[in-house]
Amino acid sequence: TLRDLSVSLDRLGDVERQAHHLPSATVAYCESLELSRQLRASLGDTPQVLRDVSVSLNKLGNVERDVGNLSSAAAAYRESLKLDRQLRASLGDLPHVLRYLSINLNTLGDFEREAGNFPAAAAAYRESLELRRQLRASLGDTPQTLRDLSISLDRLGDVEAEMGNPAGAEAARLERQELLAQLERVSTEPPPAPDIGQSP
């Protein structure tokens, strides 16, 4: 019941944020986070509970950034990232765990970049990129792995340029260009034919 209520509050917060009703969105996200923390206190650090708290923190961080509360946004993003690292430590390098962590790193990188902390942004983007390379190595060249890699390279290339590192920016751009061409091929390839005697 508490989790359902928390999810509903997050959804309400999303709608309020999209409508630019930021105070109402903040109230909804704060209440959702409070419920998630209550569940954590009663159930312990289960994977579902940790992920729910992490999601609520990220949503609150986004709306805090929208209204200019940068210190509150940074605290929320960093706590969310810490929880996703805890999930990785307990569950191992499962694909969904690595992807959650890489998304959170990109979110923190975006925040640091907006704040002008380019080295911190670059560090977050590089760690995200390494995780996405790891996902590609384990899952292969799926559309999602290629798309995620290209996004991380795009962000890293931009911040490298902003830090005055044209060589790093160009290397990221060229690798991204190759990935996008590969993504286009993968996305347009017909599915493989089923083996004889098997249904498609």
Side-chain angles (χ1 to χ4, degrees):
T1 302
L2 289 180
R3 185 171 189 270
D4 287 347
L5 181 54
S6 174
V7 169
S8 293
L9 284 160
D10 274 343
R11 289 176 178 161
L12 176 62
D14 292 344
V15 171
E16 296 285 15
R17 184 177 175 228
Q18 288 165 7
H20 304 290
H21 300 153
L22 300 183
S24 298
T26 303
V27 169
Y29 290 144
C30 284
E31 188 178 349
S32 173
L33 178 59
E34 185 181 337
L35 292 173
S36 294
R37 291 195 193 282
Q38 187 177 334
L39 281 167
R40 185 182 185 189
S42 62
L43 299 177
D45 286 354
T46 68
Q48 183 68 69
V49 166
L50 290 180
R51 183 60 190 154
D52 286 346
V53 177
S54 175
V55 168
S56 290
L57 283 163
N58 251 338
K59 289 179 180 291
L60 181 60
N62 289 338
V63 78
E64 294 284 15
R65 183 169 68 177
D66 291 342
V67 300
N69 294 335
L70 299 188
S71 61
S72 297
Y77 290 144
R78 290 186 180 120
E79 186 181 350
S80 176
L81 183 61
K82 182 180 178 182
L83 292 175
D84 279 357
R85 292 194 193 284
Q86 188 175 336
L87 274 171
R88 184 185 187 188
S90 63
L91 296 178
D93 287 355
L94 297 175
H96 69 281
V97 172
L98 293 184
R99 189 161 190 269
Y100 290 154
L101 183 53
S102 75
I103 290 170
N104 257 355
L105 284 161
N106 274 348
T107 300
L108 180 62
D110 292 344
F111 173 80
E112 296 287 11
R113 185 179 166 205
E114 286 177 18
N117 300 328
F118 298 135
Y125 291 147
R126 287 189 190 109
E127 187 179 351
S128 174
L129 180 62
E130 286 309 307
L131 292 173
R132 291 179 172 190
R133 291 195 197 285
Q134 189 174 338
L135 282 167
R136 184 186 188 188
S138 62
L139 299 176
D141 288 346
T142 68
Q144 181 173 289
T145 57
L146 295 175
R147 192 176 299 110
D148 285 350
L149 258 177
S150 73
I151 289 168
S152 286
L153 285 163
D154 185 44
R155 286 173 163 150
L156 181 60
D158 285 345
V159 82
E160 292 282 13
E162 288 163 342
M163 290 192 300
N165 182 9
E170 179 65 6
R173 186 190 70 79
L174 289 174
E175 186 179 352
R176 180 173 182 266
Q177 202 170 26
E178 291 175 10
L179 284 171
L180 290 174
Q182 191 171 352
L183 177 60
E184 189 174 354
R185 289 194 300 272
V186 169
S187 299
T188 56
E189 284 176 359
D195 294 335
I196 296 173
Q198 294 186 344
S199 58

